[in-house]
Amino acid sequence: MGTTRTTTDERDATRTDDPSVTADTATETPRTEGKATGEPAGDRDDAAASASVTGERGGADPADDTEAADAADAEHTERAEDAEDAADETEDDAAPASSGVKRGAGAVVAAGLGLASVTGTWLGTLLAERQALLGQIKLQSGKAGDQIAAVYGAPWHTTALINGVFALLAVAVGAAVLFNRPRATWTRAVAWGGLALGVLGLLIAAGMYFDLLASLPTLPK
């Protein structure tokens, strides 16, 4: 028993006196503790790194939070602007569609008016018959100096006047449609057709009214 204690004391003294032994002992101590706790060295390093990052985040500068809030506000504003632009584009797409329908309708109206100015209308026929009746009444009452002008000339001029009015309307509507520059090809074609018929109707009406196409009949002397 006495011999064992003496040997142990000598070993302890040797380890204490030898600097190399002390350094080795100090180096091996963390390894022994790590092994004793059962935690790998890599996990301890990751834990230390996470702790340092957490410490850095915990002490973040308030300016970073302000910048993040500003970035979020800018993104929200940009999304709102994009939504408004999309709504404007939808409205812009709907506006040309409605305007195209109006121009097409105007072109059809111009073509109809131009055709009526050339072929005549029921309104012109009705007013011409009325003028013929008035001429007969004047003849019977003895107020008409020229029988041909009263019975034939007045109805003829009335028809020419009504056709000229329809021709003017056709020219005005067709010119308005073409002035707005419609995109559809058929709209331009119909508008040009109505404008041409209106001009032709004006020429015919002028010739009828001023007796250029045919003069009034005259009584033989």
Side-chain angles (χ1 to χ4, degrees):
M1 295 293 290
T3 305
T4 302
R5 292 180 180 176
T6 304
T7 304
T8 303
D9 293 338
E10 289 177 357
R11 289 178 180 177
D12 294 339
T14 302
R15 292 178 180 176
T16 303
D17 295 338
D18 191 356
S20 62
V21 174
T22 305
D24 294 338
T25 304
T27 305
E28 292 176 356
T29 300
R31 297 179 182 177
T32 305
E33 291 178 356
K35 293 179 180 179
T37 56
E39 182 180 3
D43 294 342
R44 291 197 307 274
D45 295 338
D46 294 341
S50 300
S52 62
V53 171
T54 304
E56 291 177 357
R57 291 181 179 177
D61 191 359
D64 296 337
D65 296 337
T66 304
E67 293 179 357
D70 293 340
D73 293 339
E75 183 178 1
H76 180 71
T77 304
E78 184 177 358
R79 290 181 180 178
E81 291 178 354
D82 293 339
E84 291 179 358
D85 293 339
D88 293 339
E89 290 178 358
T90 303
E91 293 178 357
D92 293 340
D93 293 339
S98 61
S99 62
V101 172
K102 293 178 181 178
R103 292 169 184 171
V108 173
V109 170
L113 291 173
L115 183 62
S117 67
V118 174
T119 60
T121 62
W122 65 270
L123 180 61
T125 303
L126 180 63
L127 293 178
E129 292 177 354
R130 182 176 182 276
Q131 287 296 329
L133 179 60
L134 290 176
Q136 292 177 0
I137 293 173
K138 289 180 180 180
L139 287 175
Q140 292 178 0
S141 62
K143 295 181 179 180
D146 190 351
Q147 296 178 1
I148 296 176
V151 177
Y152 178 79
W156 178 266
H157 294 163
T158 301
T159 302
L161 183 62
I162 298 301
N163 291 344
V165 171
F166 275 87
L168 282 175
L169 292 176
V171 171
V173 176
V177 173
L178 293 174
F179 179 77
N180 291 325
R181 297 180 180 179
R183 296 181 180 178
T185 304
W186 72 268
T187 302
R188 294 195 299 269
V190 174
W192 275 112
L195 184 61
L197 288 174
V199 173
L200 181 61
L202 277 176
L203 295 176
I204 295 174
M208 290 176 61
Y209 189 82
F210 295 104
D211 298 330
L212 299 177
L213 300 178
S215 60
L216 290 176
T218 56
L219 293 175
K221 293 182 181 179

